[in-house]
Amino acid sequence: MTESSGPIEAIAQALSCAIAAALGEQYRDTDLQIRPSQNPKFGDYQANFAMKLAKQLGSNPRELASKVADAAAEELAAIAEPLEVAGPGFINIRLKNQAIAHMLSSMDNQELGVTQQDDPHTIVIDLCAVNIAKQMHVGHLRSTIIGDALARILERIGRTVLRENHLGDWGLPIAMVLHELLEAKTNLDTLKLAELDSAYRKAQQKAKDDDAFLEAAKTTLVKLQNSDPQLIEDWHKLINCTLTALYESLEILNVKLTKENNRGESFYRDKLPGVIEAFTNAKLAKEDDGAMVVPFDTRERPLLIQKSDGGYLYATTDLAAIRLRTGQSNANRIIYVVDARQRDHFRDVFDAAKLIGWDKTPDGECAELRHIPFGSVLGPDKRPLKTRSGENVTLKSLLDEACERGESEVKKRASDPKAPTHGLSEAELKDIGTAVGIGAIKYADLSNDLVRDYVFDMNRMVRFEGNTGPYLQYAHARICSIFTKAGIDAGVLSSEQFAIGEPAERRLALTLLKYPDIIADVAKTLEPHRLCTYLYELADAYSSFYEHCPVLKAETDSIKRSRLKLCHLTRNVLSDGLDLLGIKAPTRM
RNA sequence: GCGCCCGUAGCUCAGUUGGAUAGAGCACCGGUUUCCUAAACCGGGGGUCGCAGGUUCGAGUCCUGCCGGGCGCGCCA
């Protein structure tokens, strides 16, 4: 039996050898297409390579499959029942229960079987990116939640991740609001978010109606860009006002993002002239109507990198950022979690970066530049979420609602004298409620294909049934309660053996064994909803197991201990998976 | 006008990157159950995968053309 590898690796190794033996060494690296079977009657796993390979060789796929299956029989005998060839040439593999138990032991450790990458390059994730000229609204929620989850997943496979909050803290909108605040003689030391919001709206309106205001704001921008000491000081006060609120919200959201992660547009301000210079020297940029543009062979519209008045644009900043991230931060993967409307922008910026070679790390590796486009959060009317008066919903009000709803769900259940949460203190219930409410909105955000819009429906998100965050948290809490009830510390089980017998145990075990592959898949595709789907499947398999297999009242002590180990491993995978989504898993709820 | 994205059950969504009879959850209908158990369980109906072609052993998935919805299209970020 192969050592400490998952089922797919073990099967793949045997089949590769078998193909090499039966067909020749040159076919050893054939893509075996091994995957879990959809239907139990097709075994636990299936290998689908025979059809394609037979085509290449001009032979019969069923015969080819049989030949390979025969050649693999001896090596696989230790872990699998005799292979079956079915349909046009599928090879169906059913694992022996003993092998399943052995493989479970292999993943029953700190890493839960997740393969660690030892790539010395970093990964940069560009996320959150709030505009500091106004209060945060619901639009900032997704970038932050998704970016944080992706960062956690990539850290989980052993990578060094640099989370960079690309704050909108520089440029005309900031100058405009700053100008408005100063003109109104607002005291910036006591600036409140509400004042800022109203100043922002006024400034936007004035800029439209009043040319003189716009000109004055542009003058303020020039002063700011020239580092006028007084103005810079005022600018810092403005930033602090929004950032203080941001960090409070991030704390509630359980997102790992602090001041250390600030890499706003202002951070790149002295690197912008160098961008134009580099593109000009490389003859990749040309003048067009007084502005500098980077033309592309494949399309009409070029990328504008400098305005005709000499000013820079956000494309310029993004290019400067790529240059720094590959060149100095040594990133071979740069991930932009920005809404889908900016697709064209990132395509242009990435192409421009490739033209000039800034996608290369110092050791010459080609970095992956990746935009993660996500859809909008919609209201019940299927239009982008707004308040009744037509304003953007503030992030704060959304989080408040989530926490309240979570708390009321938890308290409702705690009022039952039989509930494990009965009698907990107000503060404890509040903490659990926050975890539930925030878990609900995060899970709703992450559990479907990111690119799609979704309707924000608190009633559905907070339900304890169906594919929701609270359901998974509940599944986890219930397992915790078994150990409390049994009075057993899971640590004492470490020397015990897994034993797989009942169909429900088997299904749970096979689901557990998928976890390392799911994490590897999500780290590659950057599609967190696949992890959500998996965790739901796991909770479902566990639920069925728990329904059909008595744990504390198992027939024998060894079965009881094995089942407790299954419970424990399931709990660990659930809490690990939820943690990767940035969702807390309380032990009681 | 050009470009991009989306279209799967009544509703909300999956669909392992081209694999076997398209799956879940809500909702609906029928039955079982008071348990080691803190979400009860089992079964059932419900589908022209937007439409039409094409590629091949095989298409919800790939290519082309339509239809419908959303978004974006140089000196804002």
Side-chain angles (χ1 to χ4, degrees):
Chain A
M1 191 179 303
T2 42
E3 199 50 47
S4 83
S5 58
I8 291 183
E9 289 79 4
I11 294 164
Q13 198 175 332
L15 288 181
S16 291
C17 292
I19 287 179
L23 304 172
E25 273 303 321
Q26 66 270 35
Y27 298 104
R28 184 180 284 275
D29 293 330
T30 302
D31 177 12
L32 296 170
Q33 301 186 55
I34 302 170
R35 50 206 58 161
S37 298
Q38 305 242 14
N39 190 327
K41 82 177 183 204
F42 299 134
D44 301 326
Y45 291 86
Q46 55 178 269
N48 299 344
F49 65 88
M51 285 77 80
K52 190 171 278 180
L53 188 56
K55 174 128 214 159
Q56 281 170 29
L57 297 172
S59 59
N60 179 306
R62 278 195 69 107
E63 279 172 21
L64 188 148
S66 301
K67 212 163 142 187
V68 174
D70 288 346
E74 196 177 333
E75 188 172 349
L76 279 176
I79 62 168
E81 305 296 339
L83 304 185
E84 284 170 17
V85 176
F90 300 108
I91 298 177
N92 295 337
I93 301 126
R94 187 180 157 84
L95 296 177
K96 290 186 171 169
N97 287 348
Q98 211 178 354
I100 294 175
H102 184 85
M103 289 169 181
L104 276 182
S105 300
S106 295
M107 76 170 278
D108 189 14
N109 53 40
Q110 191 82 28
E111 297 299 346
L112 297 170
V114 174
T115 309
Q116 302 295 297
Q117 292 185 358
D118 58 354
D119 189 326
H121 298 92
T122 61
I123 296 175
V124 168
I125 299 192
D126 188 307
L127 77 166
C128 189
V130 300
N131 175 356
I132 59 104
K134 56 180 171 177
Q135 186 174 174
M136 283 164 295
H137 57 85
V138 59
H140 299 117
L141 183 71
R142 299 206 73 189
S143 173
T144 307
I145 291 178
I146 297 164
D148 183 52
L150 293 178
R152 286 165 185 258
I153 290 160
L154 293 166
E155 283 165 347
R156 180 67 175 77
I157 63 164
R159 298 295 300 265
T160 302
V161 176
L162 305 174
R163 296 148 200 248
E164 301 198 350
N165 188 353
H166 200 73
L167 297 164
D169 61 0
W170 203 246
L172 191 57
I174 311 298
M176 273 164 46
V177 76
L178 204 49
H179 185 78
E180 168 64 26
L181 286 166
L182 292 173
E183 203 172 54
K185 302 209 185 315
T186 314
N187 182 351
L188 295 179
D189 290 310
T190 59
L191 183 65
K192 296 282 182 302
L193 278 179
E195 288 176 284
L196 179 60
D197 272 357
S198 105
Y200 180 84
R201 280 194 295 272
K202 271 185 202 155
Q204 291 288 323
Q205 193 56 46
K206 283 186 185 174
K208 254 188 234 163
D209 306 341
D210 181 356
D211 285 346
F213 176 86
L214 188 59
E215 282 313 308
K218 282 185 176 172
T219 308
T220 303
L221 177 61
V222 173
K223 274 172 76 181
L224 187 65
Q225 287 174 337
N226 290 332
S227 300
D228 178 274
Q230 179 59 48
L231 204 56
I232 290 285
E233 198 184 318
D234 293 339
W235 174 75
H236 273 294
K237 289 175 183 170
L238 168 62
I239 289 178
N240 282 338
C241 173
T242 20
L243 287 193
T244 303
L246 171 66
Y247 293 120
E248 281 169 18
S249 292
L250 292 179
E251 176 85 27
I252 294 169
L253 268 172
N254 189 30
V255 164
K256 294 181 187 171
L257 203 64
T258 68
K259 288 187 173 63
E260 318 297 310
N261 304 101
N262 286 0
R263 283 287 183 285
E265 290 164 341
S266 64
F267 176 84
Y268 294 101
R269 63 194 191 234
D270 61 351
K271 298 170 179 63
L272 304 181
V275 171
I276 310 303
E277 203 186 314
F279 273 91
T280 308
N281 290 344
K283 305 217 183 312
L284 290 168
K286 65 173 191 187
E287 201 189 306
D288 187 359
D289 270 343
M292 292 301 289
V293 301
V294 179
F296 300 108
D297 294 341
T298 50
R299 52 189 176 272
E300 283 289 303
R301 210 189 70 246
L303 175 66
L304 190 61
I305 57 172
Q306 188 174 28
K307 298 191 274 185
S308 50
D309 68 0
Y312 306 106
L313 299 108
Y314 77 139
T316 327
T317 309
D318 278 328
L319 285 167
I322 293 178
R323 187 184 201 179
L324 200 70
R325 287 164 179 176
T326 52
Q328 285 192 24
S329 302
N330 197 28
N332 64 352
R333 212 173 178 193
I334 309 177
I335 297 162
Y336 293 82
V337 188
V338 183
D339 80 83
R341 289 174 304 187
Q342 308 238 5
R343 271 194 151 113
D344 291 351
H345 167 70
F346 282 109
R347 188 191 54 177
D348 290 350
V349 167
F350 293 169
D351 284 352
K354 286 173 193 163
L355 280 176
I356 203 165
W358 289 349
D359 61 330
K360 300 279 195 302
T361 57
D363 59 4
E365 186 166 326
C366 212
E368 177 192 358
L369 305 176
R370 180 86 177 270
H371 175 216
I372 304 296
F374 56 82
S376 307
V377 181
L378 308 179
D381 57 356
K382 304 257 176 132
R383 302 291 309 162
L385 192 59
K386 302 273 178 183
T387 62
R388 262 184 295 250
S389 54
E391 314 239 320
N392 283 326
V393 175
T394 64
L395 183 59
K396 179 84 169 59
S397 66
L398 199 82
L399 298 187
D400 286 348
E401 190 194 349
C403 293
E404 275 168 35
R405 288 299 305 273
E407 209 177 315
S408 80
E409 290 295 325
V410 169
K411 283 183 174 166
K412 195 166 77 189
R413 286 167 175 79
S415 65
D416 179 351
K418 287 191 297 188
T421 45
H422 191 71
L424 289 185
S425 72
E426 181 72 17
E428 285 171 307
L429 290 175
K430 197 175 157 82
D431 274 356
I432 297 169
T434 299
V436 170
I438 297 297
I441 61 171
K442 287 180 114 175
Y443 192 84
D445 203 296
L446 294 166
S447 61
N448 56 25
D449 193 359
L450 298 179
V451 75
R452 297 175 61 140
D453 296 346
Y454 77 90
V455 175
F456 190 91
D457 180 352
M458 200 72 221
N459 289 330
R460 179 165 345 142
M461 296 173 185
V462 82
R463 275 202 305 232
F464 279 43
E465 303 88 31
N467 190 7
T468 69
Y471 173 79
L472 294 180
Q473 289 172 317
Y474 211 165
H476 172 266
R478 281 194 71 190
I479 302 177
C480 293
S481 117
I482 293 171
F483 285 93
T484 310
K485 179 162 288 185
I488 290 174
D489 181 86
V492 306
L493 297 166
S494 58
S495 58
E496 300 293 334
Q497 299 296 312
F498 285 104
I500 303 301
E502 295 296 315
E505 289 176 309
R506 214 167 177 282
R507 181 178 153 215
L508 176 60
L510 287 169
T511 308
L512 285 165
L513 288 174
K514 287 184 188 174
Y515 187 61
D517 290 329
I518 295 291
I519 298 303
D521 178 55
V522 173
K524 194 170 102 192
T525 61
L526 305 179
E527 293 178 353
H529 76 281
R530 290 169 184 269
L531 175 55
C532 297
T533 304
Y534 167 79
L535 292 175
Y536 182 67
E537 195 183 313
L538 177 62
D540 193 46
Y542 178 79
S543 171
S544 169
F545 157 79
Y546 197 54
E547 192 70 32
H548 294 103
C549 304
V551 176
L552 300 180
K553 291 189 177 172
E555 304 92 278
T556 70
D557 254 15
S558 68
I559 294 177
K560 173 178 165 181
R561 288 193 292 263
S562 166
R563 287 182 180 165
L564 278 168
K565 276 174 77 77
L566 280 169
C567 291
H568 183 235
L569 187 54
T570 304
R571 176 175 74 179
N572 287 347
V573 171
L574 277 176
S575 76
D576 192 59
L578 285 171
D579 183 61
L580 296 183
L581 299 172
I583 296 172
K584 289 183 179 170
T587 55
R588 288 178 292 192
M589 60 188 278

